[in-house]
Amino acid sequence: GEDVEQSLFLSVREGDSSVINCTYTDSSSTYLYWYKQEPGAGLQLLTYIFSNMDMKQDQRLTVLLNKKDKHLSLRIADTQTGDSAIYFCAESIGGGADGLTFGKGTHLIIQP
Amino acid sequence: DSGVTQTPKHLITATGQRVTLRCSPRSGDLSVYWYQQSLDQGLQFLIQYYNGEERAKGNILERFSAQQFPDLHSELNLSSLELGDSALYFCASSLRWTGNTIYFGEGSWLTVV
């Protein structure tokens, strides 16, 4: 079955790197996504990675995929107060045809 | 701004009533998805339409229905509303029905009293 697990909270100091982890269970997942949700706002697509990739970098964001362990991580370099939000990991088995399965989200808390 | 437009942004209604939520996808996107976000269930996929046809179904209740019109906008109809239906309802869109990026709207907050 499909299940995506994330830690509920992560606290980091401003300027440090944040690493948000996610595990998924379905090995047939083709795309894995990271979404950001700020308070009272919608879901913002941050980045996604195709299952045949190990890493993807986009400015301050680095996504690492360990397909063997079914582990996905999002690293945010030089974390700023504006990065404070809930980060959702999601998997898509058919590339979206059957919808996305989301984790419960990780609350990223930035300490000054 | 994702380009996905949802109305209304907020809605308060009584139990037993029926509401319609509307979604306009990003320009050029053919696929529309509906999701429900609640505190206890998290984000749940409800249903997907592609170019007017139902493509995939998730955890959508029988009291709920959706459709996608020829101009590609979509509506989610929620009937016989219960207190537990109070949630944030998201619409999302993508260009194709598979293998692509999915963009979400700001959501419609539904409160059932």
Side-chain angles (χ1 to χ4, degrees), chain A:
Chain A
E2 304 165 9
D3 201 9
V4 178
E5 300 281 344
Q6 300 178 243
S7 300
L8 284 182
F9 296 96
L10 175 66
S11 180
V12 298
R13 285 193 294 194
E14 192 174 358
D16 287 352
S17 291
S18 305
V19 180
I20 303 170
N21 294 302
C22 166
T23 57
Y24 60 97
T25 54
D26 202 312
S27 57
S28 60
S29 290
T30 52
Y31 285 88
L32 294 133
Y33 301 81
W34 285 104
Y35 283 87
K36 176 184 180 183
Q37 186 177 30
E38 295 179 81
L43 290 166
Q44 176 193 353
L45 176 63
L46 284 179
T47 187
Y48 66 96
I49 188 167
F50 189 52
S51 59
N52 68 353
M53 298 168 66
D54 298 322
M55 186 182 88
K56 182 177 180 181
Q57 190 155 0
D58 184 3
Q59 298 183 334
R60 291 192 299 125
L61 304 179
T62 303
V63 178
L64 294 177
L65 175 61
N66 181 330
K67 206 173 174 186
K68 175 176 166 289
D69 295 337
K70 300 190 188 71
H71 182 266
L72 182 74
S73 68
L74 174 70
R75 178 177 178 269
I76 305 172
D78 186 26
T79 308
Q80 303 297 310
T81 54
D83 295 323
S84 180
I86 303 174
Y87 290 81
F88 291 92
C89 170
E91 66 173 345
S92 166
I93 297 166
D98 295 317
L100 300 180
T101 300
F102 283 86
K104 296 289 188 193
T106 299
H107 294 243
L108 179 61
I109 300 162
I110 316 300
Q111 298 172 8

Side-chain angles (χ1 to χ4, degrees), chain B:
Chain B
D1 182 5
S2 67
V4 180
T5 305
Q6 291 188 246
T7 57
K9 287 193 175 3
H10 300 273
L11 189 56
I12 301 175
T13 191
T15 54
Q17 295 298 305
R18 183 179 188 274
V19 299
T20 298
L21 309 180
R22 184 188 166 100
C23 169
S24 294
R26 291 190 323 152
S27 177
D29 283 0
L30 299 176
S31 195
V32 169
Y33 309 77
W34 287 98
Y35 286 81
Q36 179 195 59
Q37 185 178 34
S38 61
L39 281 173
D40 53 344
Q41 296 291 326
L43 272 158
Q44 298 278 319
F45 167 65
L46 296 179
I47 198 163
Q48 179 199 7
Y49 280 82
Y50 175 75
N51 206 18
E53 300 287 328
E54 183 184 304
R55 191 76 198 182
K57 215 173 218 185
N59 300 321
I60 189 165
L61 299 172
E62 284 194 14
R63 299 184 285 110
F64 296 178
S65 64
Q67 58 185 131
Q68 186 180 27
F69 295 87
D71 66 353
L72 301 176
H73 90 271
S74 177
E75 292 181 355
L76 179 66
N77 300 297
L78 315 173
S79 62
S80 303
L81 285 166
E82 301 173 1
L83 296 177
D85 297 326
S86 296
L88 180 57
Y89 290 85
F90 282 112
C91 172
S93 75
S94 62
L95 177 61
R96 299 183 296 273
W97 70 271
T98 185
N100 53 73
T101 51
I102 302 171
Y103 294 90
F104 282 73
E106 296 283 306
S108 292
W109 281 98
L110 172 65
T111 303
V112 182
V113 297

